[in-house]
């Protein structure tokens, strides 16, 4: 969820990503007080929240800090906004970029796709094949790239489902 609903300027997106990274750092710092096993930290989210979760493995980079941040072990992403440069990705849509108030360069700077490596956490992605906001082709390419690098990323496609199909307000069947 963005800091200000509907405001996707690069400063706000950067702030959201820094907030997610700071939250992860805080959990690690307070783990013993909270009774958290830092070897079992997971993250997840849908759409923009899926994007934030997909970027948490890069928390140290996002915070530009040397502070200790424990690694995310697993991710669960619901139609995440990732792989912006893909031919079907969000970055290929000039109208979308204009609506978001972002340049292509700023948009690509917050994409996890170019940061993928064999060390990317085990990830489960749920995605609708009829998603018009984040087309499934971009997610398929993200998954293929991650797996090709040696990361354990699994994509589960939901035939005919659109963006946000998993939300109760959208479908009680899929919820």
């Amino acid at each position: 969820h963005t800091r200000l609903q509907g405001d996707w300027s690069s400063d706000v997106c950067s702030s959201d990503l820094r907030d997610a990274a700071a939250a992860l750092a805080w959990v690690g710092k307070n783990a013993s007080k909270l009774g958290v096993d830092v070897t079992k930290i997971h993250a997840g989210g849908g759409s923009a929240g899926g994007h934030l979760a997909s970027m948490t493995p890069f928390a140290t980079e996002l915070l530009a800090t040397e502070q200790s941040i424990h690694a995310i072990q697993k991710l669960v992403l619901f139609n995440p906004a990732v792989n912006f440069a893909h031919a079907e990705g969000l970055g290929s849509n000039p109208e979308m970029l204009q609506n978001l108030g972002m340049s292509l360069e700023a948009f690509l700077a917050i994409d996890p796709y170019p940061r993928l490596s064999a060390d990317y956490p085990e990830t489960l992605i749920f995605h609708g094949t009829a998603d018009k906001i984040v087309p499934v082709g971009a997610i398929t390419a993200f998954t293929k790239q991650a797996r090709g690098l040696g990361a354990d990323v699994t994509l589960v496609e939901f035939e005919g489902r659109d963006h946000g199909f998993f939300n109760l307000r959208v479908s009680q069947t899929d919820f």
Side-chain angles (χ1 to χ4, degrees):
H1 201 278
T2 58
R3 203 181 273 272
L4 302 170
Q5 182 106 16
D7 184 351
W8 276 81
S9 67
S10 58
D11 288 343
V12 171
C13 283
S14 296
S15 296
D16 286 345
L17 293 171
R18 282 192 302 273
D19 287 350
L24 180 58
W26 183 87
V27 168
K29 181 179 178 182
N30 293 284
S32 61
K33 185 172 25 175
L34 298 169
V36 172
D37 180 346
V38 296
T39 67
K40 296 180 180 175
I41 296 176
H42 301 35
S47 192
H51 171 256
L52 290 175
S54 75
M55 290 294 289
T56 57
F58 314 108
T60 302
E61 173 189 342
L62 295 171
L63 287 176
T65 182
E66 294 299 318
Q67 73 187 61
S68 177
I69 299 178
H70 296 280
I72 291 290
Q73 299 302 306
K74 295 183 182 186
L75 295 169
V76 178
L77 311 175
F78 297 87
N79 48 323
V82 297
N83 198 6
F84 304 146
H86 185 269
E88 296 179 13
L90 293 172
S92 67
N93 183 337
E95 184 179 327
M96 176 74 75
L97 291 173
Q98 183 177 0
N99 289 341
L100 297 175
M102 296 181 74
S103 69
L104 180 58
E105 295 75 26
F107 205 49
L108 295 178
I110 59 169
D111 187 355
Y113 183 85
R115 295 174 172 85
L116 287 173
S117 72
D119 296 329
Y120 198 70
E122 182 180 345
T123 302
L124 178 59
I125 301 173
F126 298 103
H127 206 88
T129 61
D131 191 329
K132 295 172 201 71
I133 295 174
V134 182
V136 72
I139 303 306
T140 302
F142 178 90
T143 303
K144 182 178 179 180
Q145 175 72 5
R147 293 177 68 101
L149 293 168
D152 184 2
V153 176
T154 301
L155 170 61
V156 179
E157 294 181 0
F158 286 78
E159 191 64 39
R161 301 306 197 282
D162 200 355
H163 195 76
F165 70 91
F166 53 86
N167 289 310
L168 179 59
R169 72 184 189 314
V170 173
S171 169
Q172 292 192 1
T173 305
D174 292 318
F175 182 77

